[in-house]
Every structure is written in structure tokens, then in C-alpha cells.
Amino acid sequence: MAELRGIVSKRSTQTYIVAVGLMVMGLALTTLCFAAWFQGVEPRWSVILFGLLGVYMVFLGVDEGWLSGLEVTPRCLRLQSFGRWQEYPLEGLEAADGLRDILAGGLQLVLIGKEREALKVPLRRYRNAGQLAQALLDAAWLHNPDLVVMPRLARRLGTPPFGVMAARKGSRKPQWPLI
């Protein structure tokens, strides 16, 4: 039996600009702290603390630009961070909402389930964020046709099925390429 494959995130130019910006700021902060250490700035723990913050910013930039990703399949949501994939099953989701992300102002989906904590899915860094959001809502709708899409998100995207993971309403032919 043919199974649907997933939609994979595509990084945008903005993703790389934000990542390089984080890395440059982290390197600048670490360099300033290194110079302050040799100039004898007191207390020493503050210099170490801010130096470690700079190193963390460099690692965050590398993750943001090259090691993170997202994949939506009909069965689960897969998030990649620092090169490791985590799977989140889509069964049991009851509602979905959309928020503005404070980093870069993009879309952030919030998936709400009865028996688990709300899952926040940042879509700010992806060129195909709209298609990913529609695929995620379609996949959740396949598991729960009574999925509640909050008005704020419904105004922005509409209501499932969108035709990305599930056939559109009134269409008998699947809109997804089968493999």
C-alpha cells in the first residue's frame, strides 16, 4: 500500500542571516569578555558568565541556521534540534492556535491535546512555513476530524482539510503525490 511521505522544512535566507548574526554577536561578546579578563575586570565570575553566554549564542546560531528542521508526516511531527530528531505523535490533539513568534515575528503553531502539554511549533525560520502549517493541521485533522482551529489561526490559514495531507472537501482525488 502506498503511504504518503512528509513535508520537510526549507530554510530561508532570513534563517541564515539570523544565524550568522547570532554567531557574530556571540563571538563579539566572548572576545570582549576575554579582553576584560586580562584587563582585570572584577568580579571575575561576571566575565566568565557573560563569556559563556557568548559561547551559547554561537551554538544557538549554528543550531538555528544549520542543525534544526521540521518534518510533518500523516502520522507524526518530527522536530530537529542540534542534529537530533524528536517525534511527536498527532493522535489526541483537540485544538490548534497560531501566535506571533517573538523572534523574527513569524508564525508559531500551538497544538493542544487533552492528555499532554501544549506543543509549540516555531515556523519563523522556514521558507515553506505556510505549507508546513497546512500540512500539520491536515495531519492533525486526519486523526481528529473534530479538531478545533482557533479563530485567529482560521482567519490566517482557513480550516482543514487543505489538500496538503488530506483530500480537500468535495474532492475525491487525493491532492498529495503518492510514493
Side-chain angles (χ1 to χ4, degrees):
M1 181 174 200
E3 185 172 324
L4 300 176
R5 60 184 175 133
I7 303 276
V8 180
S9 59
K10 298 175 185 168
R11 292 180 187 93
S12 66
T13 306
Q14 178 188 7
T15 303
Y16 295 114
I17 291 171
V18 169
V20 169
L22 279 169
M23 292 168 54
V24 167
M25 286 189 301
L27 286 172
L29 183 60
T30 303
T31 304
L32 287 173
C33 290
F34 191 70
W37 176 269
F38 286 111
Q39 290 177 359
V41 172
E42 291 291 333
R44 296 275 185 180
W45 62 266
S46 65
V47 174
I48 293 170
L49 183 66
F50 283 108
L52 290 175
L53 178 65
V55 171
Y56 175 73
M57 287 174 67
V58 170
F59 285 132
L60 189 62
V62 169
D63 179 52
E64 183 78 21
W66 293 275
L67 300 178
S68 62
L70 178 85
E71 181 181 7
V72 179
T73 66
R75 180 177 74 70
C76 67
L77 166 68
R78 297 180 69 215
L79 293 172
Q80 182 184 27
S81 180
F82 286 105
R84 293 184 328 202
W85 287 95
Q86 287 185 314
E87 288 191 2
Y88 297 95
L90 297 174
E91 295 91 15
L93 294 177
E94 295 181 345
D97 197 6
L99 301 172
R100 299 293 283 173
D101 195 353
I102 60 171
L103 286 176
L107 178 66
Q108 183 177 29
L109 280 182
V110 180
L111 304 172
I112 305 160
K114 189 176 202 177
E115 298 175 4
R116 61 176 158 183
E117 194 173 314
L119 178 64
K120 294 179 182 176
V121 183
L123 298 172
R124 69 182 175 271
R125 62 181 90 117
Y126 305 120
R127 183 174 54 213
N128 59 343
Q131 184 184 24
L132 286 168
Q134 288 180 343
L136 189 54
L137 290 175
D138 267 359
W141 180 83
L142 285 171
H143 292 284
N144 181 8
D146 297 326
L147 180 73
V148 176
V149 179
M150 299 298 175
R152 174 178 30 206
L153 185 60
R155 277 193 305 272
R156 186 167 182 166
L157 295 175
T159 57
F162 297 105
V164 180
M165 288 280 176
R168 290 181 188 245
K169 293 178 184 173
S171 172
R172 299 187 54 83
K173 180 179 156 191
Q175 299 291 320
W176 184 255
L178 299 174
I179 56 171

